[in-house]
Amino acid sequence: MDKRLSYFKLFAYFCVSYILYALVINYIVDPGAETFLNHKTDPTRELKASAWLMVLYIHIAFACVAMASGLVGFWTRSDEKHQRLHRLNGYVYVSSVLLVVLTSGYMAPYATGGTISSIGFNLLNLIWLAITTAAIVHIRKKHVPQHRRWMIRSYAFCFTNMLIHLLTFVLHGMIGITYATSYTLGLYGTIILLLAAPELILRMKSNHKSIL
């Protein structure tokens, strides 16, 4: 138990650090998203910068709330003293996911990389909604173990932005592929990773229990 708690604390520090990083970069260092907008060169998409930026600010804020809320959810899941907090936090998480998906849907047509990237973001949004809905359905039916598994799958999608930019950096900054192509490949690579990683984690947990 102590080892699991140590891993959770390490993971929590990482998540909190990333949340602070995202807030500082997007609201203080580059509030106009000029670095990112410079890569949007598709002439067929007329971007209304002020509206897009407002939606982006909402998107980032609730993405951070979802990531923080998910942490609280995993922390309180097994403690009977915190069941009311866990339930309330669940509403916060689901509401945040919904707002992230809605704002992402608005920005999808203007995605770097054009139509194929737009399709990728819409696909990602639909998958995240479906997975989160499955978690809700299971907990309403009192299927707690299944709910926890689907919540792990849902929470993985809180790391979408981080993985897209990490893969884009590797493909563009280290390998030299054009930014737009790197971003599109990073997007689809992220979808694959977000679907595969939770299954690997769940299988490892299952194998660990069977050994014990």
Side-chain angles (χ1 to χ4, degrees):
M1 181 62 70
D2 289 343
K3 193 172 184 180
R4 288 175 59 187
L5 182 59
S6 297
Y7 286 145
F8 179 78
K9 285 182 177 180
L10 184 63
F11 179 67
Y13 290 145
F14 171 79
C15 291
V16 171
S17 297
Y18 182 73
I19 289 170
L20 293 175
Y21 167 81
L23 293 175
V24 169
I25 290 296
N26 290 285
Y27 292 105
I28 299 176
V29 176
D30 189 12
E34 294 179 6
T35 302
F36 189 62
L37 286 173
N38 285 336
H39 295 291
K40 294 187 179 297
T41 57
D42 187 352
T44 65
R45 300 291 186 183
E46 184 179 351
L47 179 66
K48 295 181 179 178
S50 59
W52 185 89
L53 278 173
M54 182 59 65
V55 174
L56 176 66
Y57 294 151
I58 297 171
H59 179 81
I60 293 168
F62 281 99
C64 291
V65 171
M67 184 175 284
S69 177
L71 273 180
V72 174
F74 289 120
W75 172 61
T76 60
R77 68 178 189 177
S78 301
D79 194 336
E80 293 183 2
K81 296 183 299 182
H82 296 135
Q83 286 307 301
R84 182 174 295 181
L85 172 61
H86 184 82
R87 189 178 299 109
L88 177 61
N89 182 70
Y91 290 123
V92 173
Y93 177 81
V94 171
S95 299
S96 298
V97 169
L98 181 59
L99 285 167
V100 171
V101 167
L102 288 174
T103 50
S104 177
Y106 170 86
M107 294 186 292
Y110 309 103
T112 301
T115 302
I116 190 168
S117 288
S118 300
I119 293 171
F121 274 111
N122 286 322
L123 174 63
L124 188 151
N125 291 333
L126 289 173
I127 294 172
W128 196 5
L129 275 180
I131 289 174
T132 306
T133 300
I136 296 171
V137 170
H138 280 298
I139 198 57
R140 290 183 66 85
K141 292 182 177 180
K142 309 299 183 183
H143 299 162
V144 176
Q146 293 91 330
H147 168 71
R148 289 176 177 173
R149 288 196 287 270
W150 283 102
M151 278 304 301
I152 289 173
R153 295 179 177 114
S154 174
Y155 190 64
F157 282 76
C158 290
F159 298 88
T160 296
N161 182 72
M162 181 188 73
L163 286 174
I164 290 175
H165 287 287
L166 177 61
L167 292 177
T168 301
F169 171 76
V170 172
L171 294 170
H172 175 66
M174 300 179 68
I175 298 178
I177 301 174
T178 62
Y179 185 88
T181 301
S182 297
Y183 190 84
T184 301
L185 292 174
L187 168 60
Y188 283 94
T190 292
I191 295 174
I192 294 172
L193 287 174
L194 294 177
L195 292 173
E199 302 309 316
L200 178 61
I201 293 171
L202 290 169
R203 180 166 296 185
M204 289 172 63
K205 288 180 64 177
S206 178
N207 290 340
H208 179 67
K209 288 181 180 179
S210 64
I211 292 173
L212 295 177

